[in-house]
């Protein structure tokens, strides 16, 4: 059980890594967009705010903790999607090499987030099914092995804010 | 102790989880023995498949980097997810360096766009970052794929990928950063051409001028792996995938 919990923790660390990777792209993204679309300050500010909330310390891998992370990161995904919709109105920005590069990095981090979340769910599943089985469940509650949460699938398409040109 | 509500919730969660997991894409089964070219969409002639297979096996043995080319007529999930899953499930690349690449191509047919994706194992994310993969797909593959020249597009992309994966030159050079001293550039150009011809005896000499610029020549004339590429010599088990892992890195495009 300890080993399984360690697996959960290390896959959780991976999830946090890739979320951080996405968060790190945002300052550059915001300043690039600002250069072309200075009037879209509301949309940009929404992204900045969502990022700030998403990069706050997390509450761990319990069901509540995961739900919290999913909500905060989901809000950031939404803000980014709205930003991408706005960007559609600025062909010069869309053609800018720096922006295109940021965009592929952003898509890359979304792919990584999807991958690591799926793997986390797998480790959580293995852990949870073990701690619920007799006789391990007795040991589990004795030593306070808590149930882990899962990432839920998003409604509709996966949360990646993709832009088609 | 757990009450009945909690266990109901748990079974609901499990059910939900199983549902979400089952959407994660059915990838073709891992070929046994390992096969580098998997042309399920029949885009290549048998002779082309054979030649490509030999080239990729040779590359795998020489550099321990494993590149898998796979074509599929249909995708039941996002192409990035499918390519990553193939790399992970098949274990493309060595387990020590996670140095695998999966090139997935879905041809254009009917009303559907063609799509291509280059997925990189954890260990090659440094040498082949996402932005580079995107450019390779756009510059090397899509122009050919638009004309249904799948072989040409694959060859063009492989040329770049192989050279970068081995640390021959870096992605900055491919993208085209400003060059330093012109004399150094000429010397380096010569050295790279000779070096690459020596290694890849089969293929044509490297043009070397893809990016239009070169940085410090010394490290890669002597083929130092410090560029982030891998050239671990020795056999990598010609008939099997090494168990390399993929994290979702890479990028692609559509046409």
């Amino acid at each position: 059980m300890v080993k399984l919990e360690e697996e959960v923790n290390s896959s959780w660390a991976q999830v946090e890594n890739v979320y951080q990777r996405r968060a790190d792209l945002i300052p550059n993204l915001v300043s690039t967009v600002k250069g072309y679309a200075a009037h879209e300050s509301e949309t940009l500010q929404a992204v900045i705010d969502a990022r700030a909330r998403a990069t706050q310390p997390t509450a761990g891998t319990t069901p509540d903790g995961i739900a919290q992370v999913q909500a905060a990161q989901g809000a950031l995904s939404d803000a980014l999607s709205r930003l991408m919709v706005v960007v559609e109105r600025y062909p010069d920005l869309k053609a800018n090499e720096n922006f295109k590069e940021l965009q592929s990095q952003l898509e890359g981090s979304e792919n990584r987030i999807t991958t690591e979340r799926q793997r986390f769910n797998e480790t959580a599943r293995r852990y949870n099914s073990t701690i619920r089985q007799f006789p391990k469940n007795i040991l589990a509650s004795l030593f306070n092995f808590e149930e882990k949460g899962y990432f839920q699938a998003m409604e509709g398409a996966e949360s990646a804010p993709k832009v088609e040109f | 102790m757990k009450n009945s509500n909690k266990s109901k919730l748990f079974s609901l969660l499990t059910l939900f989880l199983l549902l979400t997991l089952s959407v994660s894409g059915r990838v073709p089964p891992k070929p046994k023995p390992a096969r580098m070219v998997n042309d399920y969409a029949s885009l290549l002639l048998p002779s082309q498949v054979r030649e490509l297979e030999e080239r990729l096996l040779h590359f795998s043995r020489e550099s321990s980097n494993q590149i898998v080319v796979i074509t599929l007529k249909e995708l039941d999930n996002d192409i990035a997810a499918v390519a990553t899953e193939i790399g992970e499930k098949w274990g493309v690349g060595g387990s020590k360096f996670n140095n695998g690449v999966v090139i997935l191509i879905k041809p254009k047919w009917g009303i559907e766009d063609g799509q291509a994706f280059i997925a990189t194992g954890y260990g090659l994310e440094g040498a082949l970052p996402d932005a580079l993969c995107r450019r390779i797909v756009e510059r090397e593959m899509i122009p050919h794929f638009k004309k249904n020249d799948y072989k040409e597009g694959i060859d063009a992309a492989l040329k770049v990928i192989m050279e970068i994966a081995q640390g021959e030159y870096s992605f900055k050079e491919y993208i085209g950063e400003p060059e330093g001293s012109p004399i150094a550039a000429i010397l380096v150009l010569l050295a790279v051409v000779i070096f690459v011809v020596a290694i890849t005896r089969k293929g044509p000499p490297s043009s070397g001028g893809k990016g239009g610029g070169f940085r410090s020549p010394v490290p890669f004339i002597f083929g130092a792996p410090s560029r982030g590429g891998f050239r671990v010599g020795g056999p990598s088990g010609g008939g099997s995938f090494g168990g390399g892992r993929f994290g979702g890195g890479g990028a692609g495009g559509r046409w």
Side-chain angles (χ1 to χ4, degrees):
Chain A
M1 278 187 300
V2 172
K3 177 165 170 291
L4 287 177
E5 189 171 41
E6 278 313 303
E7 278 178 19
V8 172
N9 290 340
S10 83
S11 65
W12 176 245
Q14 284 287 86
V15 170
E16 292 198 301
N17 264 352
V18 298
Y19 271 135
Q20 190 57 46
R21 188 194 176 108
R22 175 169 76 163
D24 289 345
L25 291 171
I26 287 170
N28 201 353
L29 178 70
V30 166
S31 59
T32 304
V33 172
K34 250 193 202 153
Y36 288 81
H39 298 301
E40 307 289 352
S41 49
E42 223 175 270
T43 319
L44 286 169
Q45 193 57 43
V47 169
I48 295 170
D49 291 342
R51 176 188 184 269
R53 262 173 267 126
T55 47
Q56 276 169 12
T58 56
T61 48
T62 57
D64 282 343
I66 301 281
Q68 236 177 62
V69 167
Q70 178 145 13
Q73 295 289 351
L76 179 52
S77 298
D78 288 343
L80 283 168
S81 293
R82 282 194 291 274
L83 180 62
M84 290 309 168
V85 168
V86 162
V87 162
E88 289 292 317
R89 294 203 286 270
Y90 297 85
D92 285 346
L93 172 59
K94 274 167 44 170
N96 174 276
E97 277 304 318
N98 194 31
F99 178 76
K100 286 204 275 189
E101 180 150 328
L102 278 168
Q103 183 145 41
S104 55
Q105 287 179 305
L106 203 61
E107 281 177 23
S109 47
E110 296 291 349
N111 290 336
R112 288 179 177 83
I113 288 168
T114 303
T115 305
E116 299 299 345
R117 278 168 40 146
Q118 187 187 321
R119 291 188 190 157
F120 173 82
N121 278 354
E122 284 165 21
T123 60
R125 182 177 47 86
R126 281 197 290 269
Y127 171 88
N128 280 340
S129 59
T130 300
I131 67 166
R132 290 195 60 90
Q133 266 171 21
F134 186 82
K136 291 222 173 96
N137 56 354
I138 301 173
L139 283 172
S141 43
L142 262 176
F143 291 103
N144 289 321
F145 281 90
E146 287 184 327
E147 209 171 299
K148 301 292 180 189
Y150 298 104
F151 285 103
Q152 313 295 323
M154 296 298 205
E155 284 164 16
E158 241 312 340
S159 52
K162 292 219 189 321
V163 180
E164 253 100 67
F165 290 114
Chain B
M1 279 292 151
K2 303 191 187 343
N3 60 27
S4 67
N5 273 343
K6 252 196 171 173
S7 60
K8 267 187 211 148
L9 184 62
F10 182 70
S11 3
L12 255 161
L13 271 176
T14 311
L15 184 65
F16 191 81
L17 186 65
L18 283 171
L19 281 172
T20 56
L21 279 183
S22 69
V23 182
S24 73
R26 292 168 291 277
V27 307
K30 176 172 162 172
K32 288 189 175 104
R35 200 174 57 212
M36 307 304 236
V37 182
N38 302 267
D39 184 22
Y40 290 102
S42 302
L43 302 177
L44 304 171
L45 301 170
S47 59
Q48 292 174 331
V49 170
R50 271 195 302 272
E51 187 271 322
L52 196 54
E53 180 76 27
E54 218 179 284
R55 203 180 343 147
L56 292 175
L57 274 174
H58 179 79
F59 184 74
S60 164
R61 277 192 290 267
E62 290 286 304
S63 71
S64 92
N65 298 307
Q66 290 188 321
I67 302 176
V68 159
V69 172
I70 172 165
T71 70
L72 292 172
K73 242 193 156 192
E74 285 177 332
L75 299 169
D76 59 7
N77 200 353
D78 174 47
I79 191 171
V82 178
T84 301
E85 200 169 334
I86 291 173
E88 178 83 359
K89 286 235 158 78
W90 294 9
V92 179
S95 56
K96 188 159 175 218
F97 293 114
N98 292 317
N99 50 344
V101 175
V102 172
I103 301 176
L104 172 55
I105 300 162
K106 177 207 160 305
K108 189 181 179 78
W109 63 282
I111 50 159
E112 287 187 15
D113 280 352
Q115 293 185 63
F117 195 89
I118 300 174
T120 47
Y122 280 120
L124 282 174
E125 287 189 14
L128 291 164
D130 297 351
L132 174 62
C133 293
R134 184 183 65 88
R135 281 180 208 241
I136 293 176
V137 169
E138 281 183 11
R139 278 199 216 173
E140 309 297 332
M141 296 177 113
I142 289 181
H144 290 291
F145 290 172
K146 275 184 169 156
K147 300 185 272 182
N148 286 337
D149 283 338
Y150 290 101
K151 174 72 165 53
E152 273 78 22
I154 292 171
D155 282 346
L158 279 177
K159 191 133 131 0
V160 178
I161 293 172
M162 283 176 167
E163 285 165 9
I164 290 183
Q166 290 192 111
E168 298 293 348
Y169 58 101
S170 75
F171 82 93
K172 282 211 163 96
E173 284 147 9
Y174 175 70
I175 289 175
E177 296 235 313
E179 59 176 294
S181 144
I183 297 173
I186 293 168
L187 276 175
V188 154
L189 177 60
L190 224 50
V192 168
V193 167
I194 295 168
F195 196 43
V196 171
V197 165
I199 283 192
T200 54
R201 271 178 307 263
K202 262 186 186 164
S206 157
S207 68
K210 269 232 142 72
F214 292 87
R215 292 186 297 145
S216 57
V218 175
F220 70 82
I221 289 179
F222 296 99
S226 57
R227 289 306 212 60
F230 289 99
R231 206 176 316 104
V232 182
S236 76
S240 62
F241 294 122
R245 304 208 54 215
F246 283 68
R254 54 172 71 218
W255 67 98

